[in-house]
Amino acid sequence: MTARTRISLAHKMSPPSGNYRWVYLWEWPIRAMHWAAALSIGVLVVTGFYIGKPYFVTHGEASAHYLMGWMRFLHFAAAGVFVATAIVRVYWLFAGNQFERWKALFPVRKSDWINMFKQVKFYLMIQPEKAPHYLGHNPLQQFSYTGMYTVAIVQVITGFAMYGQSRPGGLWYTLFGWVVPLLGGIQVVHFVHHVFTWAFLIFIPIHIYLALRSDLLERTGTISSIVSGGRFVRTDIDYVDD
């Protein structure tokens, strides 16, 4: 195929134009929490799958390797980090700026639901010209993050319920032991914990894709904002949450 007849899949973007202003969105505790949570989730997934079904074993006496013991230690340590990030996020729902508070995270207003459907049409390329503009999280992001926080709560509760089984009568058994009979037994708790892990595995690639899409196609600076805390936005656009 010659260069003249070759079909190009590349899509050239026009250079940015117009006036821009800098908007500070995410304070450093939120950015630190984001990356700490991402790292801890990665460790939790890898070690959790190993604990559930070891995908490789070492040769020789188990006491000479302690591989499962290290996996469990890393899993519990990562769980502690994950819970710590959740505590920070809950605090920042009330102490953060206007883009970090609970009203900016949960779609609680009627206008949020209306704009959510507009955002869905935008991503489906049905009515891309009518998409609402947000500096922080748009309603579809708010809805998805709320769902993932619900998944995280279930994971923490079922995780500590399983952890408490190693010491009946201990602190974690006392606090979360009620989960086992509520769900119908420890095996059901294991199953729920495993299934909800897949919610993270489905969400993460979609989250990364949409962040890259926004940066490359919409020039929103989404990825850089979670590093620097802010981004440049056009001054000729009206933002719903400004």
Side-chain angles (χ1 to χ4, degrees):
M1 182 179 292
T2 64
R4 184 180 297 275
T5 60
R6 184 182 297 117
I7 298 176
S8 175
L9 298 179
H11 177 65
K12 291 186 178 181
M13 295 294 297
S14 58
S17 61
N19 296 322
Y20 286 78
R21 61 187 174 96
W22 171 262
V23 179
Y24 187 59
L25 300 173
W26 319 120
E27 298 177 77
W28 73 264
I30 290 296
R31 304 199 304 272
M33 179 221 65
H34 176 274
W35 295 112
L39 178 61
S40 63
I41 290 174
V43 175
L44 285 167
V45 168
V46 173
T47 57
F49 277 127
Y50 185 86
I51 293 171
K53 186 177 182 180
Y55 37 81
F56 66 87
V57 294
T58 55
H59 298 287
E61 292 294 331
S63 59
H65 301 283
Y66 198 63
L67 180 58
M68 180 60 76
W70 281 113
M71 288 292 183
R72 294 181 76 252
F73 170 77
L74 290 174
H75 193 77
F76 298 146
V81 173
F82 185 71
V83 171
T85 64
I87 294 174
V88 172
R89 190 64 188 98
V90 170
Y91 174 75
W92 233 253
L93 290 176
F94 304 94
N97 60 35
Q98 70 181 84
F99 306 108
E100 300 165 331
R101 290 176 178 265
W102 67 271
K103 287 185 178 181
L105 187 64
F106 305 110
V108 295
R109 293 161 293 197
K110 181 180 179 180
S111 59
D112 293 332
W113 290 94
I114 294 174
N115 288 333
M116 183 190 302
F117 288 108
K118 291 181 179 179
Q119 198 70 40
V120 171
K121 292 180 179 179
F122 169 75
Y123 284 127
L124 295 177
M125 302 300 292
I126 297 176
Q127 290 180 321
E129 71 282 354
K130 295 184 178 181
H133 297 280
Y134 282 80
L135 293 172
H137 297 312
N138 65 55
L140 189 58
Q141 292 172 322
Q142 295 172 12
F143 183 76
S144 61
Y145 293 156
T146 301
M148 292 312 302
Y149 286 148
T150 303
V151 170
I153 291 173
V154 174
Q155 289 294 81
V156 169
I157 292 176
T158 55
F160 278 121
M162 290 186 292
Y163 182 67
Q165 297 299 304
S166 63
R167 188 182 178 186
L171 174 63
W172 302 115
Y173 183 90
T174 303
L175 293 177
F176 296 97
W178 54 270
V179 176
V180 177
L182 176 67
L183 295 182
I186 191 62
Q187 291 301 324
V188 180
V189 177
H190 276 276
F191 177 75
V192 171
H193 196 74
H194 176 81
V195 169
F196 273 63
T197 300
W198 283 99
F200 282 109
L201 292 177
I202 294 172
F203 170 79
I204 290 172
I206 296 175
H207 174 63
I208 295 174
Y209 163 74
L210 292 179
L212 290 172
R213 182 186 185 278
S214 295
D215 263 20
L216 296 176
L217 298 183
E218 303 168 40
R219 301 185 185 276
T220 59
T222 301
I223 297 177
S224 59
S225 68
I226 202 61
V227 177
S228 64
R231 61 189 179 96
F232 285 99
V233 298
R234 290 170 53 180
T235 57
D236 60 336
I237 294 178
D238 293 326
Y239 296 91
V240 177
D241 55 347
D242 195 355

